Amino acid sequence: MQPHYRFAGFMGRRVHLGVTGSIAAYKALDILRALQEADCRVSATVTEAGARFVTPLSFEALGASPVYDAMFGGSGKGDTSFGHLEPGQDADVLLIAPATASTMARLAFGLADDMLACQALAFPGPKLVAPAMNPRMWEAPATRRNWATLEALGYVRIEPDSGNVACGDTGAGRLAPLEQIVTATLRALSPQDLAGRKVLVTLGPTREPWDAVRFWSNPSSGTMGACMAMAAYLRGAEVSVVAGPTALDFPDGMQVVRVQTARQMFEAATDLWPSMDVGCATAAVADFRPLPFGEGKFKKADLDGDNLMVEFEPNHDILQAMGRAKTGGQQLIGFAAETADLQAEAERKLKSKRLDLLAANDVSEAGSGFASATNRMFVLDASGRRESWPQLPKTEVAWRLWDHLLLD
Ligand code: CTP
């Protein structure tokens, strides 16, 4: 998983994982590991059909506890008289992944004819379902109806992916990617304190073309912005991302506009900004763009003299434009990448860009800045608070920045 999916801090929260009889059942082991990396405690129920693909012992060996299997006379450690009720009393979230067509039917009709079906029926908290099956089974009217019923019953539905499936058919029915399943689960566990807020995040570098094959850019990976977007999404915000060229992907629930140049980023961000509640500018925008060489590729033979001279013209300051257009109810978060005079520069940018909150870091320091998984931040806000944070994972920096904004 890319770094912006690796949120931790869910210590003390328990996910009960239901695993049913699909070839994708082996992927439930990765789900278990990913949830443990988020600090969640995981218990599991492996149905009889599920256990034909992956044994309950595999889940136990990886630390799931308790692990249930059959309702009567099962071998799982979790087989107590009231095992069919226990996750409902103790776990925070029930995640069924993969869910077969027959499991979906059981859940939709409220059947209680196996351990997992009973546990689901008796589960009062958030329930998530991630189906996996043959595309024709997925398209079948009965499955469509059950899928709609699950929505009406309040299940969080994680849509299957399209592609080749094990039996050789192609279409929708593959288990959703790990990232989508983990994100939906962590969202169900997160405080929804940003619910109802529309958040815009700019992220990544921009690329300013010079000739047909060359551009001016910087090494930003977009990770800090992706962490801001993800933290807001997990906490219930409606998130729009304007991303420069980056290899990062985002959960299905976010609106993502991909751009290349600073001018395109400016257009996309300023278009969206009036309808947003919070803007968060993490993009490493090129402040200048080279005057284009011409139509084709620059050849060495085109050189006039010994040195190549390239002229640059200024790009818009996107955050400054958002600051100028900011209305009473809107809030703006900026970032500052510095190599000297960190605090003074941060103070200047907080004021000149009309920000509510600014996080500044020294990008020349190891473990802070471009393409790093961590950052050491100096954080300042418009109400006068100044804080120096230790080096933290970018996921944690993002979570704390949203905490900080909510305090104001
Ligand atoms: N920013 C922006 N558009 C630009 C330049 C910067 O939106 N053309 C935003 C960045 O996303 C960041 C903040 O402004 O949130 C500060 O960016 P930074 O590169 O640190 O500073 P600059 O404003 O470019 O100023 P300087 O060149 O003096 O460092």
Side-chain angles (χ1 to χ4, degrees), residues 189-208:
L189 288 171
S190 297
Q192 297 298 288
D193 47 7
L194 289 172
R197 297 214 198 183
K198 289 179 154 196
V199 169
L200 168 65
V201 180
T202 68
L203 63 84
T206 62
R207 243 178 222 182
E208 312 299 325

Side-chain angles (χ1 to χ4, degrees), residues 21-40:
S22 152
I23 182 68
Y26 74 94
K27 295 182 183 170
L29 296 171
D30 289 336
I31 298 172
L32 163 64
R33 298 293 289 266
L35 291 172
Q36 288 170 328
E37 277 174 29
D39 296 332
C40 294

Side-chain angles (χ1 to χ4, degrees), residues 202 262 265 280-288 315-322 333-338 345 348-349 352-353 355 358-359:
T202 68
M265 187 175 276
C280 173
T282 69
V285 185
D287 291 319
F288 296 90
N315 275 325
H316 289 292
D317 187 320
I318 301 169
L319 182 55
Q320 191 152 51
M322 289 163 72
I333 308 174
F335 281 72
E338 306 297 342
E345 280 301 282
R348 179 177 69 77
K349 289 177 188 178
S352 67
K353 304 201 186 204
L355 307 180
L358 178 92

Side-chain angles (χ1 to χ4, degrees), residues 209-293:
W210 176 63
D211 73 354
V213 296
R214 298 177 180 92
F215 57 79
W216 172 257
S217 190
N218 62 67
S220 165
S221 63
T223 301
M224 190 60 245
C227 289
M228 287 302 290
M230 278 293 292
Y233 180 73
L234 292 176
R235 295 168 74 157
E238 202 179 305
V239 179
S240 301
V241 166
V242 178
T246 146
L248 302 178
D249 57 55
F250 299 94
D252 286 345
M254 280 186 202
Q255 183 197 6
V256 182
V257 183
R258 293 200 186 257
V259 297
Q260 294 283 320
T261 65
R263 277 184 285 190
Q264 291 166 351
M265 187 175 276
F266 176 81
E267 292 299 327
T270 50
D271 256 17
L272 288 167
W273 178 228
S275 61
M276 296 287 150
D277 300 304
V278 187
C280 173
T282 69
V285 185
D287 291 319
F288 296 90
R289 59 178 176 266
L291 292 182
F293 159 71

